[in-house]
């Protein structure tokens, strides 16, 4: 269990016991010290539980994934390299619409290539 989820459980517990938000913040700070959530986050979660929220898990977020270094992208890069081994990182970036930094990591870390031309 991650420490954030653990703290949310504690916040939910305190709210159910009838503690105030400021009391909850003090208790979280006492237990977790420097690793505790910010006051703003504690207040936000306290309010969510007070308003009837049950789950302590984060809500799913939309938008760009945190990384584009997926199995599918590794396969796409490998296929492109297999078709033309003289492609540069920049050409791969343009052809596959994957960031240059991600392509470099795929080539060096996932595919084990040691010489990567970046022009």
């Amino acid at each position: 269990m991650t420490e954030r989820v653990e703290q949310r459980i504690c916040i939910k517990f305190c709210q159910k016991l009838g503690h105030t938000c400021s009391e909850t913040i003090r208790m979280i700070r006492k237990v977790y010290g420097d690793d505790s959530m910010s006051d703003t986050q504690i207040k936000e979660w306290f309010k969510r539980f007070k308003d009837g929220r049950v789950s302590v898990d984060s809500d799913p977020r939309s938008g760009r994934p945190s990384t584009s270094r997926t199995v599918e992208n590794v396969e796409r890069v490998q296929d492109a390299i297999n078709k033309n081994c003289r492609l540069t990182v920049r050409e791969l970036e343009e052809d596959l619409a994957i960031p240059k930094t991600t392509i470099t990591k795929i080539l060096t870390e996932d595919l084990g290539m040691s010489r990567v031309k970046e022009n």
Side-chain angles (χ1 to χ4, degrees):
M1 180 183 319
T2 65
E3 201 162 294
R4 293 269 182 198
V5 174
E6 187 177 305
Q7 289 181 47
R8 292 179 201 151
I9 292 169
C10 293
I11 294 167
K12 182 178 179 180
F13 183 74
C14 289
Q15 189 276 323
K16 285 192 174 276
L17 284 176
H19 292 286
T20 65
C21 189
S22 58
E23 290 172 332
T24 302
I25 291 171
R26 263 186 265 122
M27 287 189 270
I28 295 289
R29 291 266 179 260
K30 186 175 183 179
V31 172
Y32 292 98
D34 291 340
D35 294 328
S36 64
M37 296 166 63
S38 68
D39 288 0
T40 306
Q41 284 294 306
I42 295 171
K43 288 176 187 176
E44 178 63 34
W45 280 99
F46 190 89
K47 182 181 181 306
R48 289 176 186 176
F49 294 130
K50 188 174 180 182
D51 292 342
R53 183 180 177 116
V54 177
S55 174
V56 294
D57 295 323
S58 298
D59 293 331
R61 296 179 354 187
S62 62
R64 184 177 177 181
S66 60
T67 181
S68 52
R69 195 168 146 200
T70 62
V71 174
E72 293 82 19
N73 284 342
V74 171
E75 289 173 0
R76 288 174 59 209
V77 171
Q78 188 168 20
D79 290 342
I81 291 296
N82 288 342
K83 288 178 185 172
N84 182 0
C85 63
R86 296 192 179 273
L87 287 173
T88 65
V89 173
R90 191 169 310 274
E91 289 169 335
L92 287 168
E93 176 186 27
E94 291 170 5
D95 294 346
L96 302 176
I98 301 173
K100 186 171 94 170
T101 54
T102 303
I103 290 175
T104 302
K105 284 185 180 180
I106 289 172
L107 291 171
T108 57
E109 296 174 20
D110 295 321
L111 301 179
M113 296 182 172
S114 58
R115 184 165 181 252
V116 177
K117 187 176 180 182
E118 298 212 16
N119 290 335

